Amino acid sequence: MNILLLGSGGREHALAWKISQSALCDSLYIAPGNPGTATCGTNVSLSVNQFDAIVSFCLEKQIDMIVVGPEDPLVNGIYDYIKSNAKTSQIIVVGPSKQGAMLEGSKAYAKAFMQRHSIPTASYKEFTKENYNEGLEYIGAHTLPVVLKADGLAAGKGVVIALTREEALQTFSSMLISSQFGSAGDKVVVEEFLSGVELSVFALTNGDQFVLLPEAKDYKRIGEGDTGPNTGGMGAVSPVPFADEAFMKKVIQKVVEPTIRGLREERIVYKGFVFFGLIKVNNEPYVIEYNCRMGDPETEVVIPRLQSDMVELFLAMEYGKLNQQDIHTDPRSAATVVVVSGGYPGDFEKGKVVHGMDRTWGKDTLPFYAGVQSNGQELITSGGRVFAVTSFGSNLGEAVEKSLMEIEHIRFEKMSFRKDIGYEFR
Ligand code: AMP
Ligand code: GLY
């Protein structure tokens, strides 16, 4: 098969690494990719939202399957765009329809979906400019902390946990009235704060059947001990020790199955990954958010642990055979540590020369490239998250230590990373 993978982060490097190992994959193209994905296939300089150029490329290279990495093109409707063109409608698209992607693209849509299908989640109400005063009253009477969420995509920045009523009212006004998040904040979800431990669970589904991939825990805050502002993710571990068999059974029965049943009942076309952002409260799972794609950096631990053939799973998804698939998982622990540009998630400088990536890595380590480009001779930083260094170990502590030891060989000006990934489990 000829496969086109969309995206350019560490997640896409991990997916490209995995897809390229499948005997079912003849050619792999990655658009736009990065220097890491270039070692797994051919990078193509196309942006993920240039749908017309993507279609032309698919026709030229006789692409059989498109795997969509990030949420943006999904929320913008790439699935429907490909399927509605007679020349490309037979291409397998791994990723949901525009309607399915609304589970991530609109927090209000996701909350209403969960409510319709009795899926456990924080209590909430949604507000627009029309019922602004009602929102002020709701916040005024709400327990603290209270969580405010801009409805649309806001690059992970649209969630505010307000500790005081003043902060909550101020945030509410800057989202709805001052349009702090642009049109993403035209609607605001105000919800109950849940206190517990978080984990990420991933399913591959065709809207009817599903398989679960290994679960992971992401470390979102920039600072050690989970302090400072939220980032896209500073590291991840898999498996998650508190996600034992009994808890995962609850996750399947109370969250995953009702979600897939909901998609089926509502005839929402969904062939792709569902990422359940969960929180465990009093030993019960609650959904914090849905994403319509894999997580980053979670993919960098989930995919290396997956021993099943990825392309075979995608074909089983397409042809209704997911329930005949066994998922084989590496029993070892995996950890990834993300190396970032100094200043991230705030302002940071790009263009720093990276040293040390051309070394021979330890046999249990996989370096995944993210915000980095090649100028032909050197690697140059081009983003906030630059690399994710994944290692295997017989336990999480050993896996993290191996990644930290490998990172000692990487150097670029102002590089930074957390040394405490997986700290609760080590
Ligand atoms: P999201 O962008 O929806 O992933 O939210 C970002 C982060 O905010 C989550 O990973 C949680 O740590 C936190 N968060 C979101 N909603 C809630 C909630 N209802 N209660 C507690 N924490 C939350
Ligand atoms: N690591 C969280 C995400 O991908 O949304």
Side-chain angles (χ1 to χ4, degrees):
M1 301 192 83
N2 298 329
I3 302 176
L4 172 64
L5 168 65
L6 299 182
S8 62
R11 166 182 51 211
E12 285 74 26
H13 186 183
L15 287 168
W17 170 82
K18 183 72 180 163
I19 291 169
S20 67
Q21 290 166 38
S22 171
L24 296 163
C25 176
D26 297 313
S27 325
L28 174 63
Y29 299 93
I30 309 96
N34 65 37
T37 63
T39 65
C40 312
T42 308
N43 284 351
V44 188
S45 94
L46 282 177
S47 112
V48 298
N49 284 310
Q50 256 180 305
F51 295 174
D52 50 350
I54 291 172
V55 162
S56 306
F57 180 82
C58 288
L59 294 174
E60 183 194 326
K61 298 291 181 190
Q62 298 184 305
I63 295 295
D64 303 295
M65 178 186 281
I66 302 175
V67 181
V68 188
E71 62 277 16
D72 245 45
L74 292 166
V75 172
N76 291 338
I78 192 164
Y79 180 95
D80 312 70
Y81 193 90
I82 298 290
K83 292 292 171 182
S84 63
N85 181 334
K87 290 191 197 139
T88 52
S89 59
Q90 78 296 343
I91 296 177
I92 297 170
V93 179
V94 180
S97 66
K98 186 169 185 166
Q99 195 190 358
M102 277 178 72
L103 286 180
E104 174 163 2
S106 164
K107 300 216 185 266
Y109 179 89
K111 294 296 280 192
F113 178 91
M114 286 186 257
Q115 216 164 42
R116 284 197 295 281
H117 300 287
S118 306
I119 295 162
T121 189
S123 64
Y124 82 106
K125 252 186 179 312
E126 61 181 72
F127 300 98
T128 59
K129 271 188 189 153
E130 265 78 77
N131 58 353
Y132 182 73
N133 287 331
E134 207 184 302
L136 295 178
E137 265 175 53
Y138 186 75
I139 292 170
H142 205 288
T143 51
L144 292 171
V146 56
V147 184
L148 287 96
K149 300 184 171 181
D151 180 57
L153 292 184
K157 298 198 173 90
V159 175
V160 174
I161 297 172
L163 300 177
T164 65
R165 217 163 295 286
E166 292 69 49
E167 188 190 357
L169 294 169
Q170 166 70 42
T171 304
F172 188 63
S173 149
S174 57
M175 283 181 178
L176 271 182
I177 309 295
S178 328
S179 302
Q180 188 193 351
F181 297 105
S183 59
D186 287 350
K187 199 181 270 178
V188 173
V189 166
V190 179
E191 75 175 32
E192 168 198 13
F193 175 80
L194 298 174
S195 176
V197 283
E198 291 180 49
L199 83 154
S200 307
V201 168
F202 303 95
L204 180 68
T205 185
N206 50 23
D208 180 30
Q209 311 157 334
F210 68 90
V211 288
L212 277 195
L213 305 180
E215 78 287 351
K217 183 172 193 299
D218 171 26
Y219 293 79
K220 285 201 172 75
R221 303 297 194 94
I222 186 73
E224 293 187 355
D226 293 332
T227 53
N230 259 341
T231 68
M234 295 295 292
V237 298
S238 177
V240 180
F242 64 78
D244 55 18
E245 211 180 311
F247 182 71
M248 287 308 289
K249 205 165 155 190
K250 281 190 195 171
V251 169
I252 292 171
Q253 286 175 350
K254 298 188 177 181
V255 175
V256 182
E257 286 175 349
T259 299
I260 308 299
R261 203 180 308 128
L263 293 173
R264 189 168 54 228
E265 282 173 12
E266 297 192 23
R267 299 181 192 280
I268 297 170
V269 177
Y270 203 116
K271 291 184 170 180
F273 296 106
V274 190
F275 166 163
F276 301 88
L278 304 179
I279 188 162
K280 177 173 160 174
V281 184
N282 298 328
N283 217 23
E284 290 294 324
Y286 287 79
V287 178
I288 293 267
E289 62 166 351
Y290 286 117
N291 293 311
C292 61
R293 36 114 192 144
M294 288 296 290
D296 193 351
E298 289 97 326
T299 303
E300 290 93 302
V301 288
V302 170
I303 291 298
R305 288 192 67 221
L306 180 70
Q307 290 171 325
S308 309
D309 184 313
M310 191 92 245
V311 181
E312 201 176 309
L313 287 178
F314 291 153
L315 290 176
M317 172 198 83
E318 179 71 11
Y319 298 116
K321 295 193 170 141
L322 271 180
N323 50 9
Q324 296 167 22
Q325 295 289 314
D326 286 323
I327 294 294
H328 299 285
T329 305
D330 192 319
R332 290 176 299 167
S333 297
T336 197
V337 178
V338 178
V339 180
V340 303
S341 300
Y344 173 81
D347 292 338
F348 58 85
E349 293 167 28
K350 301 178 184 174
K352 307 290 182 196
V353 178
V354 182
H355 304 275
M357 290 300 289
D358 50 359
R359 64 189 300 272
T360 306
W361 301 88
K363 68 171 176 32
D364 295 328
T365 295
L366 296 162
F368 294 118
Y369 290 50
V372 62
Q373 280 171 5
S374 167
N375 65 5
Q377 280 129 25
E378 290 164 312
L379 289 173
I380 309 286
T381 65
S382 60
R385 294 191 291 174
V386 181
F387 299 103
V389 180
T390 298
S391 299
F392 283 107
S394 56
N395 56 55
L396 288 174
E398 194 183 298
V400 177
E401 285 309 320
K402 281 187 198 169
S403 280
L404 293 176
M405 271 166 51
E406 297 285 343
I407 289 172
E408 280 181 21
H409 299 278
I410 309 176
R411 264 181 308 117
F412 62 87
E413 207 184 307
K414 298 190 183 159
M415 76 178 235
S416 166
F417 54 95
R418 276 180 63 170
K419 296 191 185 69
D420 71 337
I421 298 306
Y423 66 91
E424 333 79 303
F425 312 124
R426 289 160 64 186

